[in-house]
Amino acid sequence: MKTQITSRDRERYEVRQVGLEHLDQLMAWRKTVLEEVFDHPSHREMHQLLAANRAYYEAAIVQEQHVACFAYEDGIPVACGGMCIQPEMPSPDNPQGTNAYLMNIYTTPAHRGKGAGKAVVEWLVEQARIRNIGKIYLEATPLGRELYETIGFVDYPDIMHLPCADPLKQS
């Protein structure tokens, strides 16, 4: 599925939705994201985490609860991203009762700052709007914060997080 990109980088990058036919490639990119963004788990923990991620992709993509994409330059993927689509109770700030959590936004180091990540995020936002999703959010690393702000994301100060025990480490 190819959708128009709103940034001026649309001539340079082609963003395409990918499905289970690209599962091995999605998993390779997900592993890279996990290694770069999170503390390095042990080999056993990483194996369990990747198995859980594979099962997630296999179910969520088929059920249209996850949209995955790559940004390509000259046919080569240089950035990726995903959107988890989730129901929530309708509210004044989200009367549709559906939200999109953008995640797994990653650009190869050689392409950072050149518009590939922006093309991915704008494509995902467009996909959320096509689906009439009322709330779009993401977690931002310091590396991605400026990019997200240029697209229009703002801090959501009323959110809190309760860290849970890591079930992968309890086995």
Side-chain angles (χ1 to χ4, degrees):
M1 170 188 234
K2 187 171 147 183
T3 304
Q4 183 177 357
I5 301 166
T6 58
S7 82
R8 68 177 83 146
D9 296 307
R10 69 177 147 214
E11 293 88 31
R12 182 170 184 179
Y13 300 105
E14 177 187 5
V15 180
R16 293 192 307 249
Q17 182 172 343
V18 295
L20 292 181
E21 72 279 3
H22 291 94
L23 183 57
D24 289 339
Q25 190 176 30
L26 284 168
M27 290 302 302
W29 282 69
R30 180 64 176 153
K31 183 176 187 278
T32 299
V33 171
L34 291 170
E35 290 171 344
E36 288 195 22
V37 174
F38 298 96
D39 290 335
H40 294 351
S42 70
H43 177 72
R44 180 174 177 270
E45 291 166 339
M46 180 61 87
H47 180 74
Q48 290 175 322
L49 189 55
L50 290 173
N53 276 258
R54 179 175 287 275
Y56 166 82
Y57 277 137
E58 290 172 341
I61 288 174
V62 170
Q63 297 169 3
E64 298 183 4
Q65 295 172 339
H66 186 89
V67 175
C69 67
F70 286 110
Y72 296 87
E73 182 180 51
D74 300 325
I76 299 169
V78 297
C80 69
M83 175 173 65
C84 302
I85 301 170
Q86 308 162 341
E88 70 177 25
M89 186 174 282
S91 62
D93 72 331
N94 186 11
Q96 298 88 346
T98 306
N99 68 62
Y101 172 63
L102 307 189
M103 47 83 63
N104 211 43
I105 311 296
Y106 179 78
T107 303
T108 59
H111 287 85
R112 291 182 184 154
K114 298 180 180 177
K118 184 176 184 181
V120 165
V121 174
E122 287 180 342
W123 186 89
L124 290 167
V125 167
E126 185 176 347
Q127 293 302 304
R129 290 188 174 138
I130 288 168
R131 290 165 172 80
N132 198 32
I133 293 174
K135 184 189 290 182
I136 305 168
Y137 67 103
L138 52 74
E139 294 178 51
T141 63
L143 188 61
R145 181 169 286 281
E146 184 179 345
L147 163 66
Y148 305 136
E149 289 172 347
T150 65
I151 292 171
F153 283 88
V154 296
D155 283 321
Y156 205 40
D158 296 334
I159 296 291
M160 296 181 75
H161 171 73
L162 177 62
C164 296
D166 183 352
L168 296 178
K169 293 184 180 180
Q170 293 179 357
S171 303

